[in-house]
Structures are given as structure tokens and as C-alpha cells.
Amino acid sequence: MPSRASPPVIVWHRTDLRLADNAAVTHAARQAPAGVVGAVVLPAEPGAPFPLSRGRDSSVAARAAALDVVPGVTGWSHRRLGHLLQAVEGLRAEWRAVGSELFVVRGDAVECIPVLAAELDAHEVHTAPCPAVDEVRENAMVERALSERGMSLQVHDETTMIAASDLPFAIGDLPEVFSSFRRRVERECRVPAPLPVPAIRGACDDVRAQAAACTDATLAAADLAAARIAAASSDPRASFACDGARSAGLARIAKWFWADDCVARYKETRDGLVGADFSSRLSSWLALGTISPREVASEIRRYEAERTANESTYWLFFELLWRDYFHFWVRRWQRRAFNARGVLGRTPCGSQDRETFASWCAGETGEPFVDAGMHELRATGQLSNRARQNVASWLARTAGVDWRWGAAWFESQLIDFDVGPNWGNWQYVAGVGNDPRNRVFDVRAQAERYDPDGAYRARWAS
Ligand SMILES: Cc1cc2nc3c(=O)[nH]c(=O)nc-3n(C[C@H](O)[C@H](O)[C@H](O)COP(=O)(O)OP(=O)(O)OC[C@H]3O[C@@H](n4cnc5c(N)ncnc54)[C@H](O)[C@@H]3O)c2cc1C
């Protein structure tokens, strides 16, 4: 083991909670004769009110004190937080398996990361890029705080299949329409193979002991215990039990691709509402980065080479391109991704009708298809794409409520919350994004088409 005299390098994980296919881990491992440790910062106050404005002040106290909070919505539901803890505990096991440790701390990253680096006497912190305005700002503040102490923050591209630096255009010139983006990317880019877990030099004994003690102390908090219980509990009506750890995501790939060949039927089944297998269910692992999109793309390629290549296998790749697109979209538009008038400033914002919003969140709108979706979301933290489109369209277009409130509720509840895909899809559905179709969903016609026997509405009637 290296001695404490040579300081370790820190990998600050955010939505990249894995060692494999992780450019930050790979680079850190190359530059760390004295070992590498991981670090994760958990939200200090997950129950704080949800701020409507982003990019103004990132401190928790300032957000909580802000007047523009979304009524009745907190930052993180217990279930979503518990899902994150499952992912973090899996990551800790990964770090331990390579002879190192993970520091789990709580608070404001702008304070926690520089303090940790100073305590370990680390000169370098490696991390993933952050797409949205708050995180970009947080990154800049951490970078400044580190550099004031003579330390550096190195950011590596890794949350998308195609690296931003490999795009055939600058992020600022991102095509406004997805199909233009897709055509250019399909023509001009290649998805790289995922990186293997690098050979990692473990940290010395006293650093590992310090990390273990710090993480144990953090995870002992009472509200985290409640979150863990919420994530482990499963509603009997739920079709799919989702554990946040990477091992569970890999098991899902093994079953959905290889044991059951569901990927070969995906294009026909993907609009399903009931059942575990109509879609891949990989979103929650992708959102926290326990599985990378390149790992999924490489699995698609392998399946196509070894079993079959058809419209369905292509369509899964197509959906991953949507994910990439919204990651770049939120980087492109920054604060406007969260603006009521949308990225193009097209339509005026909706009403701030608290009563209608509360009835939507509770699944008490009186519209059975919408209420079923909202009950499922609250009970499981999951929702199919078809149901998301319908409940979102009903709130933003039919009821005319501020779409940002709905996006905030989704953010707090969804275990697969991902900033670009969530806020980008909400803008599309609300008609303020750059979706050329600009559709309003007729939820009754949708229910008849996608839930013809009423099985979904019956299952989630209350
Ligand atoms: C209002 C609204 C909010 C949404 N919020 C989120 C969110 O917070 N996080 C999230 O991951 N997805 C979000 N989506 C997109 C989509 O609903 C989910 O990705 C999908 O339902 C997840 O299930 P799956 O993993 O089985 O998807 P599959 O159908 O198996 O698709 C595979 C993967 O492709 C990506 N993908 C699929 N559809 C989309 C899409 N429309 N936009 C971007 N990526 C997509 C996801 O990473 C998904 O895991 C939202 C959609 C709407 C309409």
C-alpha cells in the first residue's frame, strides 16, 4: 500500500456512479501513484422546498428561503433518495473490491469537496461534466475553491454515448430539432466502446479507514434510514421492482436482452402500460450513471451481431440518441431550459392554480387515465413514457397549469429523474420547446387506444 505521505487523487462522482466506462476514474487511476478514492455528496436537505428558479443561488438556505417554490413539492421523495442510496452503496462495494474506499458526505459540494481534498492533501479532483445551470455553476465554484488552495478540478466527458467533444457541431449550435441532430450524429459520429475498469491503486490504510468511518457516519442519519425503507418497499401493484445498484442494472440487461430477447420486440411493445418488459427499464440506472449509455449501446451491437438486428434493436439505440440529445439540449439552453416560456420564448406560462396542481399530484383530477398514472408515479417512482406524456399533457395543456410545477413534481418523484430528459420532455409536451409536432394529447382517446381493456386504469384506480 502507498504511504500517506503521497496524497490520493479523488474521483467526485455525480451522475456517474460506477467504475467501468468512467473517464474520470480512468484518468485518475493513471495519475495516482498514491491511490484513488471516490467521493459522493448527498443532498443535505432532501425535504427542502423545490425552487422554481435555477441558476440564481445554489445554497440550500437561499433556495429554501426563496419565494418562488413549487407548492407542496420537495427536492427529493424518500423513494428517490433511497434509490440513490442503493446506487451509492453498490458503488462503495465496487471501490472496496478494488482495494479503495468511497467517501460519502452530506452538504453543499462547494464546501464538502474542497474540505475533503484539503483533509486528504489531494491535489487533484476528477469529475464528470454537469449539464444543467445549477450544476455548471456548482462546478465552477468547486473549481475556484480548489484552485484557491492550489488544487485542480478536472472534468471528463462521460454522461452521453457521443462525447460533446466528438459532436460535428459546437453545443451552442445544437440543432433545434431532434431529427436533424440524429441524422448528423448517425452520419458523422461513432459510439466508442465502453472503457474497462482500470487498474486502480487502492488508498493507504488510514485513508480507507477514514473513508469508511465518514461514510458509516453519513449513512446513519435518520432520514436516510427512512429513505432506504421507502426504496426497499414495493407496492403489490407495481410491475417492476427496481434496485438502484449497478449489479441490478446488469442483471436487467442479462434478462431483458439475453434471457428473454425482449429487445428484439421492443418497437412493438414500447408503448405498453402494464408489465415489466414492454420497455428496457434501464432509465433509473442510466440516470444515476450506474450503467453507462455506451454500455447499453455496446450490448445492442453485441445482440445484433450474435442474435438479430431489426427495427426494434435499432429503436432502442434511437431512444438513447434522444437521451443524448436532451443532455446536450440542457447544456445548450442553460437557464432557458427551466424558463416558463421555454427555450424559444414561444407561449406565455400557464396558470399557478394550486388546487388543480394538488389534485393532479394526488391523482384526483377525475380523469381516470391521468389519475392512474399519477397513482403509479406516487406509489412506485416509475411511469411509462406513454403515461408520462399523457399526465404531462393534461396538466400543461388541458388544465393549463404552469408546466414547471409538473416538471418539479416529476423531478421529486421519479427514480429515473434526469435533468435534460425530464425538463426537455416537459417543454416539448407543454408546447414551449422546439418540438415541431406541438401536440396536445386527447387523454380519453389515448386511454382507449393504449389501455383498451381498462386494465391499467383498474390497476391504479386509487
Ligand atoms: C414528461 C416526461 C418526462 C420525462 N422524464 C424523464 C426523466 O426524468 N428521466 C428519463 O430518463 N427519461 C424521462 N422521460 C423519457 C422517457 O419517458 C423515459 O426515459 C422512459 O419512460 C424510461 O423507461 P425505459 O428505461 O424503460 O425506456 P426505454 O423505452 O427502454 O428507452 C431506453 C432508454 O432511452 C432513453 N429514452 C427513452 N425515451 C426517451 C425520451 N423521450 N427522452 C429522453 N430519453 C429517452 C432512456 O434513457 C431510456 O432508459 C420523460 C418523458 C416525458 C414525456
Side-chain angles (χ1 to χ4, degrees):
M1 263 324 136
S3 80
R4 182 70 194 267
S6 30
V9 165
I10 299 173
V11 175
W12 171 26
H13 293 276
R14 297 157 99 181
T15 50
D16 60 326
L17 302 178
R18 62 180 186 274
L19 299 188
D21 195 30
N22 188 322
V25 172
T26 302
H27 280 83
R30 273 191 213 131
Q31 288 160 31
V36 189
V37 290
V40 167
V41 184
L42 297 180
E45 291 181 42
F50 196 102
L52 197 49
S53 307
R54 299 210 184 209
R56 294 202 181 135
D57 190 328
S58 65
S59 81
V60 170
R63 284 171 171 205
L67 290 176
D68 56 349
V69 295
V70 183
V73 182
T74 59
W76 294 68
S77 70
H78 268 142
R79 184 179 300 280
R80 181 175 161 225
L81 184 61
H83 191 75
L84 170 66
L85 292 176
Q86 291 171 337
V88 165
E89 281 163 16
L91 179 65
R92 185 188 203 188
E94 283 193 64
W95 275 107
R96 285 184 163 176
V98 296
S100 193
E101 265 289 356
L102 179 69
F103 281 87
V104 181
V105 294
R106 268 184 105 169
D108 190 340
V110 176
E111 285 159 23
C112 295
I113 293 296
V115 166
L116 178 63
E119 271 175 18
L120 297 179
D121 203 18
H123 303 305
E124 280 175 32
V125 177
H126 294 254
T127 196
C130 299
V133 58
D134 278 346
E135 291 83 356
V136 168
R137 182 187 155 111
E138 183 180 71
N139 242 14
M141 289 164 79
V142 170
E143 190 167 18
R144 200 173 319 127
L146 286 171
S147 78
E148 278 164 11
R149 299 173 192 221
M151 303 178 259
S152 71
L153 181 70
Q154 299 189 24
V155 182
H156 306 275
D157 224 336
E158 60 197 316
T159 63
T160 44
M161 282 193 301
I162 315 285
S165 52
D166 290 343
L167 288 173
F169 37 75
I171 292 279
D173 297 324
L174 180 75
E176 288 189 355
V177 178
F178 168 73
S179 45
S180 312
F181 163 82
R182 178 182 65 77
R183 275 194 295 272
R184 282 205 66 186
V185 163
E186 286 190 330
R187 210 171 42 233
E188 298 176 48
C189 300
R190 199 186 55 82
V191 178
L195 298 165
V197 178
I200 294 175
R201 228 174 132 86
C204 63
D205 288 348
D206 61 337
V207 169
R208 284 190 295 147
Q210 191 183 343
C214 162
T215 299
D216 287 342
T218 303
L219 296 180
D223 64 333
L224 297 188
R228 217 174 266 113
I229 292 167
S233 68
S234 158
D235 189 291
R237 295 164 297 175
S239 313
F240 186 67
C242 189
D243 183 296
R246 172 173 167 84
S247 53
L250 294 175
R252 174 64 180 168
I253 289 177
K255 185 170 187 318
W256 195 75
F257 275 77
W258 299 100
D260 297 342
D261 289 300
C262 299
V263 63
R265 302 184 290 276
Y266 170 69
K267 189 148 188 259
E268 294 91 67
T269 61
R270 72 197 168 92
D271 276 319
L273 293 163
V274 180
D277 293 334
F278 57 79
S279 65
S280 72
R281 304 283 189 162
L282 290 173
S283 54
S284 66
W285 292 289
L286 287 165
L288 290 177
T290 48
I291 302 277
S292 83
R294 283 181 194 164
E295 289 180 303
V296 182
S298 129
E299 215 63 40
I300 297 173
R301 278 198 297 260
R302 190 160 76 87
Y303 187 90
E304 289 179 333
E306 294 179 20
R307 299 256 170 105
T308 187
N310 61 21
E311 281 199 328
S312 286
T313 56
Y314 168 72
W315 212 261
L316 189 64
F317 177 75
F318 175 94
E319 294 296 354
L320 290 172
L321 282 177
W322 265 111
R323 180 184 180 279
D324 268 20
Y325 178 71
F326 279 127
H327 274 239
F328 298 131
W329 176 90
V330 82
R331 265 160 99 161
R332 156 81 179 85
W333 291 104
Q334 292 295 305
R335 204 177 287 180
R336 283 168 76 175
F338 308 97
N339 187 304
R341 294 171 63 84
V343 294
L344 301 179
R346 256 205 305 238
T347 48
C349 61
S351 83
Q352 300 207 328
D353 173 349
R354 288 167 175 252
E355 215 173 297
T356 305
F357 179 61
S359 71
W360 178 79
C361 295
E364 291 169 0
T365 66
E367 192 59 69
F369 195 42
V370 174
D371 291 348
M374 298 311 289
H375 293 147
E376 183 185 8
L377 175 60
R378 195 189 264 271
T380 67
Q382 300 175 53
L383 202 59
S384 66
N385 187 56
R386 180 58 45 188
R388 287 182 211 211
Q389 289 176 314
N390 275 278
V391 300
S393 177
W394 187 89
L395 183 79
R397 309 299 288 265
T398 308
V401 172
D402 189 333
W403 66 271
R404 297 171 303 166
W405 287 13
W409 179 250
F410 267 34
E411 175 165 340
S412 123
Q413 299 294 312
L414 281 173
I415 60 170
D416 69 5
F417 166 70
D418 195 341
V419 62
N422 187 59
W423 288 79
N425 273 293
W426 268 95
Q427 285 214 2
Y428 268 48
V429 174
V432 297
N434 27 24
D435 180 3
R437 292 167 305 175
N438 195 15
R439 288 178 298 170
V440 180
F441 283 73
D442 173 343
V443 295
R444 291 192 186 162
Q446 289 270 311
E448 288 315 308
R449 180 163 172 201
Y450 294 102
D451 185 32
D453 57 2
Y456 181 69
R457 280 162 287 175
R459 179 180 286 238
W460 294 107
S462 58

